[in-house]
Amino acid sequence: MSTISTGATDTEFEQALTPPGWVYSDAALFQREQETLFRKQWLCAGHKSRLLKPGDYFVVNFGGDSVIVSMGAQGQLNAFHNVCRHRGTRLADAGSGNARQFLCPYHAWSYSPDGALLAAPGMDERPDFCKGDYSLLPVSIQTWNGFLFINLDASAADIKDTWPEMPDLSDYDMSASVWVKLR
């Protein structure tokens, strides 16, 4: 890490300087940002209009983590680590769609959009194997004004407790907004 100070970036706007170049490429600083920002904070994953019917999903990636955000069979919002519980393979590529199941390409374990393990070929012969023990690992998900926020920290406080100063945007009816994919 460079010895150049970043103090000049934390001053009144008129006197502030841009961060020194090393800030953009320093491995230790990047790792600290990953741990303190992307793995501990509420992050906007998208808008609820992307999940209109059961089975709708989209994948978001933050740093090295990949998350499936989906609507379950009863219309509930879900977020799961995008990793098969058997061998750690990614279940869904980046993108979106509608799926009745997420199928692992490695050994064909399949999961519902609710995260439940549906099938685990070859495991039925094991008397101690319980499908309920191998559901997808959940990620915290909450909505605010129609936006979906996820938090990779399993012990995260409620978003309203984390950000009590979040402005009330209910007059703008942002929850009625519609996500539009640009080409």
Side-chain angles (χ1 to χ4, degrees):
M1 183 184 311
S2 174
T3 58
I4 300 172
S5 170
T6 59
T9 63
D10 187 22
T11 186
E12 294 298 320
F13 183 78
E14 295 79 24
Q15 287 86 34
L17 299 174
T18 59
W22 67 264
V23 168
Y24 300 101
S25 60
D26 184 75
L29 181 59
F30 176 74
Q31 185 60 38
R32 192 170 82 204
E33 286 178 344
Q34 292 297 306
E35 292 300 322
T36 60
L37 297 175
F38 295 107
R39 293 192 182 108
K40 300 281 185 194
Q41 299 294 320
W42 287 100
L43 304 169
C44 186
H47 194 269
K48 71 176 189 170
S49 64
R50 294 187 72 181
L51 305 174
L52 298 176
K53 57 188 181 297
D56 283 354
Y57 76 94
F58 62 92
V59 175
V60 292
N61 297 303
F62 294 109
D65 296 293
S66 182
V67 176
I68 298 172
V69 181
S70 66
M71 179 179 280
Q74 306 303 314
Q76 75 278 16
L77 297 174
N78 302 300
F80 303 103
H81 290 277
N82 186 10
V83 176
C84 178
R85 295 290 307 277
H86 184 223
R87 296 286 185 202
T89 303
R90 285 235 169 132
L91 295 169
D93 291 329
S96 61
N98 185 279
R100 288 187 295 163
Q101 65 181 0
F102 298 108
L103 183 66
C104 178
Y106 196 59
H107 282 125
W109 280 33
S110 63
Y111 300 87
S112 74
D114 296 317
L117 178 61
L118 299 173
M123 299 304 287
D124 294 334
E125 296 82 34
R126 294 197 52 192
D128 59 338
F129 183 78
C130 175
K131 287 182 189 173
D133 293 340
Y134 292 91
S135 297
L136 293 177
L137 296 175
V139 171
S140 298
I141 184 168
Q142 293 186 13
T143 59
W144 176 77
N145 283 317
F147 289 95
L148 305 173
F149 287 82
I150 61 171
N151 194 321
L152 297 170
D153 183 357
S155 62
D158 186 274
I159 194 168
K160 290 176 181 67
D161 295 334
T162 304
W163 294 337
E165 70 281 355
M166 285 180 80
D168 178 12
L169 301 176
S170 57
D171 289 344
Y172 298 102
D173 198 17
M174 293 175 70
S175 63
S177 297
V178 177
W179 179 75
V180 176
K181 182 176 182 180
L182 301 175
R183 294 182 197 247

